Amino acid sequence: MKIPNNCRDISGLLLAREDRSLSLGERLAVRVHILTCRACHRFEKQTLVLRGALRQWREHQRDDGGPL
Amino acid sequence: MSENAPDIASLARQLETLRPSLLRLAQLQLRNAAWAEDAVSETLLAALQGAQRYRGTAQLKTWVVGILKHKVLDQLRHHTREPTLADAGDDEADELETLLYRRDGHFQEMPEPWTDPCGELQREQFFAVLEACMEHLPARQGRVFLMREWLEIDSATICQELGIASTNLWILLHRARLRLRECLQQNWFGDHES
């Protein structure tokens, strides 16, 4: 199996992680790559910010308070 | 009639005020005005019929949005195998990849630091931008993305409900997330980082 090691592969895995669990090998590849890659580190942070924001949006939709 | 029976007329009025919000959510998920209308009508009808079960313990909107999610999913099941589900625009996503990455797989541009957009003051504005970006996803991408993020259905179940292979679902979701990220970068985070 080809080891994912460029930013396109790694950021692809960081997006996929929102929808499926990564294999052990994939998780390892992400961790190792991010240790040395500032761009993918930032990208990961972005995915986490977006994850939190979507959760808040979802919760907002079922609140009674305020207009949608 | 028991004293605790909810006042149906007042419930009907409250439900009517929720209609625009419900319609907006249904349209966001279904991407089809007629299906969205049907889902909302069925929701309001079910809410009135179930009025005895609604005892005012749960917040009204929470309860009704819960019903809406079921009705919307029914619509998706109903229409999922119609040819309208296949639309153009799903194949141009490679252009986005070309914009984002160099040929050697590095990012073209350094991703910017994003800060939490859900602070008290800006939350409503951010949600408006977020919804606009979700609306701009190609219809198939938008549907599966909302199924994940609004209906909170796991990927395997989405594949079953829509009758698509998991590899296709991964591709749709990957493109949706990449596109949404780009849209938010341009219309929210880019402006707010200066």
Side-chain angles (χ1 to χ4, degrees):
Chain A
M1 187 191 109
K2 180 177 155 288
I3 296 173
N5 194 32
N6 66 37
C7 298
R8 183 200 298 260
D9 295 338
I10 296 300
S11 53
L13 288 175
L14 288 168
L15 294 176
R17 188 171 72 172
E18 302 302 306
D19 300 303
R20 65 175 176 90
S21 32
L22 302 186
S23 72
L24 194 59
E26 288 171 331
R27 293 210 302 272
L28 188 65
V30 168
R31 279 304 123 217
V32 169
H33 180 92
I34 280 181
L35 279 179
T36 55
C37 176
R38 209 161 132 246
C40 285
H41 186 68
R42 284 253 184 98
F43 189 94
E44 179 183 38
K45 288 273 170 60
Q46 291 184 352
T47 64
L48 298 179
V49 167
L50 187 55
R51 186 193 293 176
L54 283 164
R55 193 187 61 238
Q56 298 222 34
W57 173 79
R58 192 162 54 234
E59 285 166 3
H60 184 73
Q61 302 315 312
R62 52 173 182 249
D63 281 351
D64 240 349
L68 281 185
Chain B
M1 193 179 278
S2 110
E3 277 177 42
N4 293 333
D7 177 347
I8 297 287
S10 123
L11 180 65
R13 274 196 305 278
Q14 290 181 65
L15 287 173
E16 208 44 52
T17 64
L18 289 178
R19 180 189 279 272
S21 319
L22 299 177
L23 204 52
R24 215 199 62 247
L25 280 168
Q27 171 65 23
L28 200 55
Q29 170 66 75
L30 292 167
R31 306 294 291 259
N32 178 297
W35 306 351
E37 283 285 352
D38 285 353
V40 170
S41 299
E42 284 172 14
T43 300
L44 296 177
L45 198 61
L48 284 171
Q49 284 168 347
Q52 287 88 341
R53 262 173 289 138
Y54 172 66
R55 304 196 184 283
T57 47
Q59 289 186 314
L60 181 65
K61 193 166 140 197
T62 310
W63 180 59
V64 176
V65 168
I67 299 174
L68 179 69
K69 288 184 173 184
H70 288 286
K71 298 301 180 188
V72 154
L73 185 55
D74 284 346
Q75 290 289 324
L76 283 169
R77 286 187 185 124
H78 232 200
H79 297 286
T80 187
R81 283 169 183 84
E82 286 188 7
T84 46
L85 259 181
D87 55 0
D90 282 346
D91 296 323
E92 7 156 321
D94 288 341
E95 287 174 30
L96 182 55
E97 299 234 342
T98 314
L99 281 174
L100 278 176
Y101 305 104
R102 289 195 243 134
R103 296 190 61 141
D104 62 5
H106 284 88
F107 280 105
Q108 294 273 12
E109 286 175 33
M110 185 72 178
E112 289 183 21
W114 286 8
T115 50
D116 179 18
C118 295
E120 287 279 312
L121 294 174
Q122 46 178 17
R123 230 159 66 117
E124 301 281 331
Q125 279 170 285
F126 172 73
F127 288 156
V129 172
L130 174 63
E131 285 176 27
C133 284
M134 294 196 285
E135 268 171 42
H136 277 89
L137 294 172
R140 290 179 73 209
Q141 291 177 28
R143 285 194 194 100
V144 293
F145 182 76
L146 266 291
M147 285 177 90
R148 286 285 298 129
E149 296 291 349
W150 181 52
L151 298 180
E152 298 181 86
I153 303 176
D154 66 78
S155 301
T157 310
I158 294 178
C159 288
Q160 282 171 20
E161 299 284 7
L162 300 186
I164 61 175
S166 57
T167 44
N168 288 344
L169 180 68
W170 305 140
I171 290 169
L172 286 172
L173 286 170
H174 175 261
R175 289 175 176 176
R177 290 188 185 282
L178 214 50
R179 204 179 277 251
L180 187 73
R181 172 189 174 273
E182 192 59 23
C183 182
L184 290 173
Q185 174 61 45
Q186 282 178 12
N187 296 290
W188 181 266
F189 293 102
D191 286 343
H192 287 242
E193 287 309 327
S194 52

